[in-house]
Amino acid sequence: MNKVKLHDLEFVPYLSEADILARVQELGTQLAADYSGRTPCFLVVLKGAAIFAADLIRATGIPCELTFIELASYEGTASSGAVRMATKLPQRLSGKDVIVVEDIIDTGRTMHFLLPQLEAIGAKSTAIATLLHKPDAQQFDLDLQYVGFEIPNDFVVGYGLDYEQHGRELSAIYVKK
Ligand code: IMP
Ligand code: MG
């Protein structure tokens, strides 16, 4: 893996494709056991979690439903301090076991904003599956049931995560130099 340049910034390899896929498989196995006999609904937070969700859902291999919401809170390489809902919350989640699929928990603001709304529309249960978590950046209390990797408070791209909409197509994850 070589370094990559996106806009004005350089990024260096951090997590390989093989390491990511092995961990996603483990999370899938864990989800399959925990949700056995149920048909959960994966709620994928666009855009960043799209790639992770595609691999995670197939790794889970259990009957499920799938829906999406687009939320945005980042500007450049820092949290903007506000969450913008670009699409409406799907109403079909009432009575469902909802698994929110996120690319990364940074301050935790996005999940802190979304979870009460899922409860308000009558989700039967909620859980969070996130590929990455930055414990040192977290400001909001959350129950994180499924975490792929805990990482330092550095800006990362690849495997769905972007810097100003670039880098999502990278199969590995890279960290800002
Ligand atoms: P939070 O609301 O502060 O937890 O931020 C979560 C959202 O910010 C994630 O869904 C990402 O879209 C974005 N984000 C946070 N950290 C990074 C990063 O290192 N790279 C790319 N996007 C990030
Ligand atoms: Mg995101």
Side-chain angles (χ1 to χ4, degrees), residues 45-49 71 73 102-104 110 161:
V45 182
L46 298 174
K47 307 180 182 109
L71 301 174
S73 69
E102 249 295 33
D103 50 0
I104 186 163
T110 305
L161 291 111

